[in-house]
Amino acid sequence: MRAGRQTLHAVFRSGPGGRLGAEGVCLDAALAQAGAGTPAYVYSSRAVVERFAALQEALAGTGHLVAAALKANALPALLTPLRDLGAGVEAVSAAELLVAHGLGFRGDRIVMSGVGKTPVDLETALDLGVRFVSVESRGELELLNRLALRRGRRARALLRLNPEVDAATHPKIATGTRTAKFGMAAADLLALASGARDWRGVEILGVHAHVGSQIRELATLARSAERLGTVFAALRAAGLPVRVVDVGGGLGIPQRDGEEDTPMSVYAARVLGTLREVLDRECPDADPTVVFEPGRALFGPAGALVVRVLHTKRTGTREFCVVDGGMNDFLRPALYGAWHRVAPVEPRPGPERRFDVVGGVCESGDAFARDRALPPPEPGDLLAVLDAGAYGYSMASNVNLRPRPAEVVIRDGTAVLARPAETPADLAARELGAQPAGIPA
């Protein structure tokens, strides 16, 4: 990628000497200022806040909650500014719930969703008094009812609809199709709601749907909102006092040069407009609270994974740029074939050549990019994998006993170490500590 093309990115741009940075801080300087090596995630706090504020503003005048999806990014340094601006959070596990609570998010600003919630997950949600739990099935609602009665409480629940909407995204992150494991068919949802209206342990507040992740077509999100509105109206017609519609998240981000970002105002207007059309037609007296659950749309463009070039090599007809990061640090390219821009942090002169940018994990799928044009990198050069702020660190692992990377946040022109990198010694101590008693060392 030529230095001049880097200015096309909304967050990471060329600064002094053509060096790549965010908020006026070059990425190499950010790492040095924070005392972080590579690989490391670097985030712009300003970018996250601005994207949240744009969605919040677009929803002004509508009863709403914007709940940031912790599964996309749960870094406290990025979440606390959102909390102070009135954000909520969406959690899918007991640990995410406890993180939200520990960061000061009130229970009425925490929502829970996800398939396969365990008793511990639901008990934690009940104990924290979350705003609602999105329930996926009859069995889950029965479990929630039993646990709530055992605690002498009444849980607040939404019923998750499978809207049967095909999304133009990778099959592994499409959640609203007929064959997906998520939610219930409309007929099953309506029957469950009717049968559970007198259960003492749960109160049905409304409906929820989510069609997937990295959705770039607003028509897809609008179709889901339309079907949610129809089911919501049917519940009202059946006499259930439902008052919440959770439209989920899934709005995609531009990841290739030349792709246009979808303004939050356009996104909100399309989804709310479609929902309102249905409600005005079928239950005009309804004025539900609308919940949005953005994850990638908030965090994705705000983060980059910075890696260091170890060496280059040629094998047969391909040329490889081997870096110190790997699929353990950023899984999306290997898992989904996700395309992410890779840019030199500091421009290097010379004609571009085609490289596969790969890591050191013992898998052939361990590649950040294939067949990318780069000025020939030298050992020690820094490369940035862009649009990596969502589902990056949250999906990181210790495969091959590789340490997870550091996380650095740029805020008000200063880079701080938000999470230190793990070390080989940390991992070795953890593994050796797992030796069972009675087994000779």
Side-chain angles (χ1 to χ4, degrees):
M1 180 180 290
R2 294 182 178 87
R5 290 166 58 194
Q6 295 168 10
T7 59
L8 293 175
H9 195 272
V11 178
F12 295 95
R13 301 168 178 261
S14 298
R19 291 153 65 211
L20 196 64
E23 297 190 31
V25 181
C26 296
L27 290 178
D28 53 346
L31 295 180
Q33 192 174 52
T38 54
Y41 282 97
V42 180
Y43 306 98
S44 163
S45 176
R46 180 194 300 166
V48 175
V49 166
E50 287 178 347
R51 295 178 76 81
F52 170 80
L55 182 54
Q56 188 84 319
E57 181 179 357
L59 296 171
T62 298
H64 72 276
L65 175 69
V66 177
L70 297 192
K71 57 182 173 286
N73 195 310
L75 185 64
L78 296 179
L79 293 172
T80 49
L82 299 184
R83 176 203 64 201
D84 296 342
L85 291 172
V89 291
E90 180 246 347
V92 296
S93 68
E96 286 190 353
L97 289 169
L98 293 172
V99 166
H101 177 71
L103 290 175
F105 287 91
R106 301 191 315 267
D108 65 354
R109 304 201 77 76
I110 302 172
V111 304
M112 187 177 200
S113 60
V115 173
K117 303 178 198 69
T118 67
V120 170
D121 294 330
L122 295 175
E123 287 165 349
T124 304
L126 287 166
D127 291 344
L128 296 181
V130 302
R131 188 169 187 140
F132 59 76
V133 175
S134 176
V135 173
E136 299 269 349
S137 65
R138 173 177 291 276
E140 187 172 271
L141 189 64
E142 291 171 344
L143 174 60
L144 181 61
N145 183 60
R146 289 197 302 272
L147 294 173
L149 290 173
R150 194 177 298 165
R151 280 169 159 67
R153 299 182 180 177
R154 196 167 194 220
R156 295 175 293 272
L158 300 192
L159 300 182
R160 181 165 176 175
L161 172 72
N162 183 325
E164 299 184 9
V165 172
D166 287 328
T169 189
H170 193 283
K172 291 182 180 178
I173 51 177
T175 61
T177 62
R178 180 173 296 183
T179 57
K181 67 180 181 180
F182 299 92
M184 295 171 270
D188 295 334
L189 186 154
L190 294 170
L192 176 58
S194 178
R197 73 172 68 210
D198 297 323
W199 292 8
R200 292 184 299 110
V202 293
E203 177 187 9
I204 308 299
L205 294 186
V207 290
H208 170 216
H210 180 75
V211 293
S213 185
Q214 190 54 20
I215 309 298
R216 297 281 288 152
E217 296 180 356
L218 291 183
T220 299
L221 300 170
R223 282 197 300 275
S224 178
E226 179 182 21
R227 292 176 188 180
L228 270 174
T230 299
V231 171
F232 179 88
L235 290 172
R236 294 266 298 188
L240 279 84
V242 288
R243 55 191 182 274
V244 179
V245 177
D246 186 335
V247 298
L251 178 66
I253 60 173
Q255 292 182 297
R256 295 175 183 263
D257 294 334
E259 290 183 348
E260 294 294 326
D261 197 9
T262 301
M264 291 295 188
S265 58
V266 174
Y267 162 56
R270 183 68 182 275
V271 171
L272 282 180
T274 302
L275 178 63
R276 192 72 259 171
E277 284 178 11
V278 176
L279 297 183
D280 286 347
R281 183 176 66 246
E282 301 188 22
C283 52
D285 61 321
D287 186 23
T289 298
V290 183
V291 180
F292 284 73
E293 300 175 355
R296 185 185 315 282
L298 291 182
F299 301 112
L305 176 64
V306 183
V307 295
R308 191 175 300 275
V309 175
L310 299 175
H311 53 264
T312 60
K313 59 177 285 188
R314 179 177 289 276
T315 301
T317 60
R318 304 194 73 82
E319 196 162 11
F320 296 90
C321 174
V322 184
V323 299
D324 62 355
M327 61 187 280
N328 64 296
D329 303 303
F330 189 47
L331 185 59
R332 295 193 75 251
L335 183 61
Y336 305 131
W339 199 101
H340 286 262
R341 287 173 278 204
V342 177
V345 170
E346 184 170 358
R348 175 173 292 283
E352 292 180 339
R353 299 206 306 264
R354 293 280 175 176
F355 291 88
D356 289 359
V357 181
V358 301
V361 174
C362 295
E363 300 278 352
S364 294
D366 179 25
F368 295 118
R370 301 282 189 188
D371 197 33
R372 297 295 178 83
L374 292 169
E378 295 290 338
D381 286 358
L382 297 177
L383 300 177
V385 183
L386 301 180
D387 302 302
Y391 303 98
Y393 191 93
S394 68
M395 296 177 73
S397 74
N398 295 130
V399 64
N400 290 182
L401 283 185
R402 291 170 63 94
R404 288 182 295 179
E407 292 186 284
V408 173
V409 172
I410 301 173
R411 187 173 187 181
D412 299 327
T414 300
V416 296
L417 183 64
R419 194 194 311 267
E422 296 173 337
T423 68
D426 294 335
L427 300 189
R430 185 190 71 189
E431 298 302 307
L432 293 171
Q435 182 170 304
I439 302 292

